[in-house]
């Protein structure tokens, strides 16, 4: 059965030259998107780039691929696009691309339970199962599912997302402005920093990703005075280093308790997405045992694995 599925899929590759598209939702960001399928060689090139890059550059390479295949009208530049998508939606971006590529024939490798560990039930064999792609979506609750479906009906023409800012009072004299992290603040803005700076200040950079600015508190007049961060219009590297220096100076004014509370708040700003992706419960085609639901640990890894299945016919 599995080989018949692969035969059919390979035949469709040979006869269909129209690129498939899929609409999907970025639930945290609050908008719908349209993604267009890519090619096997493209994914293979991305895999090789990731294998030969550090983690940050590997993520940026994958973001550029996602950007290239986001076909919403009025799409802005890559950097602006990254500034308007919340980090919590990264897996949904991957899934939108996955849906465009494989929504029609979604071949997934599933392993039956080991009978030695499952009270004698199962065969421990791996099968390639054609799985309805939407069965891989799991919502936190009915409200999230309702919101998702409402957004899915909206026009995918690009519109700027407004990311709200909030304030944290770090001490009696310092307040910090922060926003929900975006793809830009989490990944792009640090890509120009030298590796030794990234390694030395990795913990601070994790927090800095969410910080917009710093303020001195005037308790008598109940006012906030912005603490200046020097901006270099044509040099992101210098601007980020300037922001990092101010952050370090601010942290030096805090006692141990204040520092612990602040960093704990900042490091927990990435919200848990209200939509997750799973391998759904299914039946083993070999022995009929139930294969239980499992989480998809990485949509990017699933993309690479699924792309390789299309090569089985030619091996």
């Amino acid at each position: 059965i599995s080989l018949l599925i692969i035969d059919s899929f390979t035949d469709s590759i040979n006869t269909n030259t129209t690129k498939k598209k899929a609409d999907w939702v970025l639930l945290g960001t609050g908008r719908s998107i349209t993604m267009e399928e890519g090619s096997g060689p493209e994914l293979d090139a991305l895999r090789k780039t990731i294998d030969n890059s550090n983690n940050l550059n590997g993520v940026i390479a994958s973001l550029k691929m996602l950007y290239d295949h986001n076909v919403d009208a009025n799409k802005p530049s890559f950097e602006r696009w990254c500034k308007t998508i919340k980090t919590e939606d990264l897996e949904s971006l991957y899934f939108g691309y996955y849906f465009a590529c494989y929504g029609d024939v979604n071949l997934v490798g599933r392993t039956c339970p080991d009978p030695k560990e499952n009270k004698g039930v199962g065969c421990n064999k791996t099968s390639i199962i054609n799985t309805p792609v939407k069965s891989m979506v799991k919502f936190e609750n009915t409200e999230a599912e309702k919101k998702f479906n409402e957004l899915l009906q909206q026009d995918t023409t690009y519109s700027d997302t407004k990311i709200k800012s909030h304030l944290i009072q770090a001490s009696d004299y310092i307040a910090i402005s922060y926003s929900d992290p975006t793809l830009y603040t989490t990944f792009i803005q640090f890509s120009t920093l030298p590796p030794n700076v990234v390694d030395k200040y990795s913990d601070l950079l994790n927090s800095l990703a969410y910080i917009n600015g710093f303020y001195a508190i005037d308790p008598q007049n109940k006012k906030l005075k912005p603490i200046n961060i020097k901006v270099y219009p044509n040099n992101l590297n210098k601007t980020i280093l300037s922001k990092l220096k101010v952050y370090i100076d601010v942290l030096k004014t805090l006692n141990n308790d204040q520092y612990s509370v602040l960093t704990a708040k900042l490091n927990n700003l990435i919200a848990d997405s209200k939509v997750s992706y799973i391998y759904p419960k299914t039946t083993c085609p070999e022995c009929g045992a139930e294969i239980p639901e499992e989480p998809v640990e990485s949509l990017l890894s699933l993309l690479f694995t699924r792309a390789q299945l299309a090569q089985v016919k030619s091996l």
Side-chain angles (χ1 to χ4, degrees):
I1 295 175
S2 299
L3 289 178
L4 288 174
I5 292 173
I6 294 172
D7 284 344
S8 174
F9 175 66
T10 307
D11 290 342
S12 71
I13 291 177
N14 295 332
T15 59
N16 187 8
T17 59
T18 303
K19 286 192 174 183
K20 297 172 292 184
K21 296 180 177 65
D23 293 337
W24 203 240
V25 168
L26 306 180
L27 194 56
T29 302
R31 63 178 300 257
S32 57
I33 58 170
T34 300
M35 300 297 287
E36 182 180 74
E37 71 171 318
S39 66
E42 185 177 31
L43 275 175
D44 193 49
L46 175 62
R47 179 185 58 77
K48 291 175 181 176
T49 298
I50 291 173
D51 288 344
N52 292 290
S53 303
N54 60 38
N55 288 338
L56 181 59
N57 288 335
V59 172
I60 292 172
S62 70
L63 291 179
K64 287 180 177 177
M65 180 199 71
L66 293 170
Y67 171 79
D68 289 341
H69 290 278
N70 178 204
V71 293
D72 299 340
N74 303 326
K75 183 177 69 174
S77 68
F78 173 65
E79 287 193 358
R80 182 64 207 164
W81 182 81
C82 288
K83 288 178 179 178
T84 60
I85 297 176
K86 292 184 179 181
T87 304
E88 66 184 271
D89 284 325
L90 180 56
E91 288 294 281
S92 287
L93 270 175
Y94 285 131
F95 193 81
Y97 178 74
Y98 182 90
F99 192 3
C101 293
Y102 308 119
D104 53 347
V105 182
N106 182 32
L107 306 179
V108 178
R110 302 296 305 277
T111 301
C112 188
D114 187 336
K116 296 178 182 177
E117 301 173 358
N118 196 43
K119 299 180 180 179
V121 177
C123 63
N124 201 30
K125 293 181 180 179
T126 298
S127 302
I128 298 174
I129 299 176
N130 193 9
T131 304
V133 71
K134 289 189 176 180
S135 70
M136 299 179 71
V137 184
K138 186 174 184 178
F139 296 98
E140 183 181 76
N141 50 44
T142 55
E143 290 181 6
E145 185 174 9
K146 180 181 177 182
K147 181 64 175 177
F148 182 97
N149 289 326
E150 289 173 353
L151 290 170
L152 189 59
Q153 301 308 310
Q154 294 184 1
D155 185 359
T156 61
T157 298
Y158 178 86
S159 58
D160 243 348
T161 305
K162 304 299 181 184
I163 308 293
K164 294 182 178 179
S165 294
H166 310 275
L167 281 176
I168 294 176
Q169 185 171 345
S171 70
D172 292 339
Y173 303 101
I174 296 291
I176 295 176
S177 170
Y178 72 93
S179 300
D180 290 339
T182 65
L183 300 179
Y184 181 86
T185 62
T186 305
F187 304 112
I188 306 300
Q189 69 173 342
F190 301 132
S191 61
T192 62
L193 293 178
N196 62 311
V197 173
V198 174
D199 292 341
K200 183 176 181 179
Y201 297 107
S202 58
D203 289 342
L204 296 184
L205 293 178
N206 287 338
S207 300
L208 195 66
Y210 321 135
I211 294 175
N212 301 317
F214 307 90
Y215 297 88
I217 299 173
D218 181 350
Q220 288 187 334
N221 298 309
K222 297 182 179 180
K223 291 183 178 181
L224 298 176
K225 181 181 179 181
I227 298 174
N228 183 54
I229 298 173
K230 190 169 183 179
V231 176
Y232 298 84
N234 299 313
N235 195 320
L236 177 61
N237 185 22
K238 285 187 176 181
T239 300
I240 295 300
L241 289 174
S242 173
K243 186 177 178 182
L244 178 60
K245 182 181 183 304
V246 173
Y247 186 35
I248 292 172
D249 290 341
V250 165
L251 293 180
K252 288 178 180 178
T253 70
L254 306 181
N255 63 37
N256 288 336
D257 288 341
Q258 291 168 337
Y259 174 77
S260 296
V261 170
L262 174 64
T263 54
K265 288 180 178 179
L266 292 174
N267 287 333
N268 286 284
L269 286 179
I270 296 182
D272 291 332
S273 178
K274 290 179 171 52
V275 58
S276 56
Y277 300 98
I278 60 169
Y279 300 107
K281 180 174 64 176
T282 190
T283 300
C284 175
E286 297 290 339
C287 70
E290 180 184 286
I291 302 176
E293 175 188 306
E294 302 171 87
V296 176
E297 298 295 342
S298 168
L299 259 299
L300 184 57
S301 295
L302 179 61
L303 273 167
F304 293 144
T305 301
R306 177 59 184 82
Q308 291 171 351
L309 289 176
Q311 301 172 15
V312 171
K313 179 69 175 179
S314 62
L315 293 178

